[in-house]
Amino acid sequence: MSGIEIERKFLVHKAGKPYREEAYASSRISQGYICSERGRTVRVRIRDGRGFITIKGPSGADGLARYEFEKEITLDEATHLMELCEPGLIDKTRYLVKSGQHVFEVDEFYGDNDGLVVAEVELHSPDEPFDKPEFIADEVTGDRRFYNSSLMKTPFSLWRDTLPEEFR
């Protein structure tokens, strides 16, 4: 897959963890970054026993859109490439929740990012309307603190107190 990725990102109300109950699928994800420079990232991901490599370009000023290239690689290749990654891995469970015509990907983080839960929805255009599930809260699209590549370098545990209690 390659092309322009348009997505919006949100904090999630965690009370009762309703996204878990509404999810039609979930998977554990481990990922690292070979390159996490601003404007270009190269990510290696292992998800459900499958490997992927993803290259992302710079985001626009609003953080909504950027070029993304993703290719499935063998699990063996992904495991070896993980050894080349920068320090700090991302460990999370992703829940898929259907809402209207869209699917929200809700990521529940572990390790140094434990307690953080964010949701993303991919769109065809920046102004495309979508139905928000009730657990969706404040939008954080474009806030670099919530980019996975940033969470690897500056984990949520270091700045969690900057968010309201319901999001910690």
Side-chain angles (χ1 to χ4, degrees), residues 129-153:
F130 56 93
D131 298 323
K132 287 188 208 174
E134 288 187 25
F135 58 78
I136 295 297
D138 300 342
E139 185 164 5
V140 293
T141 302
D143 186 335
R144 295 193 181 280
R145 295 178 300 171
F146 295 96
Y147 287 20
N148 283 261
S149 57
S150 294
L151 291 169
M152 177 198 69
K153 294 177 181 178

Side-chain angles (χ1 to χ4, degrees), residues 1 3 5 7 9 31 33 35 37-43 45 53-59 66-70 94 120 122 147-149:
M1 177 207 86
E5 172 190 56
E7 67 182 14
K9 189 176 287 205
Q31 67 188 43
Y33 289 84
C35 175
E37 295 297 319
R38 188 171 179 171
R40 64 176 98 41
T41 59
V42 180
R43 176 185 75 203
R45 175 180 279 175
I53 189 159
T54 305
I55 301 168
K56 294 188 178 192
S59 296
R66 63 183 168 172
Y67 176 81
E68 178 182 77
F69 169 86
E70 183 172 76
R94 173 165 289 169
E120 298 176 349
E122 289 197 16
Y147 287 20
N148 283 261
S149 57

Side-chain angles (χ1 to χ4, degrees), residues 109-166:
F109 291 85
Y110 308 111
D112 289 338
N113 293 301
D114 190 53
L116 180 62
V117 181
V118 296
E120 298 176 349
V121 61
E122 289 197 16
L123 305 172
H124 292 44
S125 68
D127 58 350
E128 180 181 349
F130 56 93
D131 298 323
K132 287 188 208 174
E134 288 187 25
F135 58 78
I136 295 297
D138 300 342
E139 185 164 5
V140 293
T141 302
D143 186 335
R144 295 193 181 280
R145 295 178 300 171
F146 295 96
Y147 287 20
N148 283 261
S149 57
S150 294
L151 291 169
M152 177 198 69
K153 294 177 181 178
T154 309
F156 183 59
S157 60
L158 298 177
W159 53 273
R160 72 180 331 118
D161 293 338
T162 66
L163 293 182
E165 182 69 32
E166 70 177 298

